[in-house]
Amino acid sequence: MSHTIITNIKGSRCMQIDDEHLQTLADYSLLSDLLDSNGIVDENVLNKLRLNVVSLLDNTNGDARLLRLCRDVLFHDNMKAFALHQLICLFLEWQETAVSSAAAAE
């Protein structure tokens, strides 16, 4: 499934996020402990995430899913702090939906 996030305040730019991207974020726990105690998403947080992923790529011999996440999302021209905030919100919503679906299946 594909999701659309707005990547700027004006709403004139968007980015497509696939479930595979979200699953990669979950599998590698890339958003865990990313934010400081103030909860503000800024360019420093985006840089921290990018550095974490680059380090993971070095340790996983270039995992194809991580490379796809980098190409399509994290290093996309439209990925700025605002877009990262939207991605985090989408991820939390996606994760909650997945947990609800799993509970309903039981």
Side-chain angles (χ1 to χ4, degrees):
M1 178 179 220
S2 183
H3 311 271
T4 302
I5 60 169
I6 297 170
T7 60
N8 64 357
I9 294 173
K10 287 194 231 178
S12 60
R13 296 180 186 259
C14 297
M15 184 184 302
Q16 294 297 334
I17 308 296
D18 295 332
D19 281 347
E20 181 182 345
H21 297 131
L22 297 170
Q23 189 62 53
T24 303
L25 289 169
D27 290 347
Y28 286 97
S29 301
L30 294 174
L31 300 180
S32 296
D33 302 322
L34 186 62
L35 298 177
D36 294 331
S37 60
N38 62 15
I40 296 172
V41 178
D42 58 14
E43 294 298 320
N44 290 330
V45 174
L46 178 58
N47 290 333
K48 179 180 174 182
L49 175 60
R50 287 175 172 167
L51 288 172
N52 288 344
V53 172
V54 168
S55 177
L56 274 173
L57 282 169
D58 288 342
N59 294 326
T60 61
N61 295 322
D63 179 345
R65 293 183 319 141
L66 279 173
L67 287 170
R68 208 169 300 116
L69 179 68
C70 287
R71 182 194 67 218
D72 297 346
V73 180
L74 300 181
F75 288 90
H76 190 281
D77 288 341
N78 291 337
M79 181 52 71
K80 306 288 188 236
F82 183 85
L84 179 57
H85 180 264
Q86 297 301 311
L87 178 64
I88 292 169
C89 291
L90 172 63
F91 177 78
L92 293 172
E93 181 181 305
W94 175 82
Q95 201 171 36
E96 185 177 306
T97 302
V99 168
S100 298
S101 296
E106 291 177 2

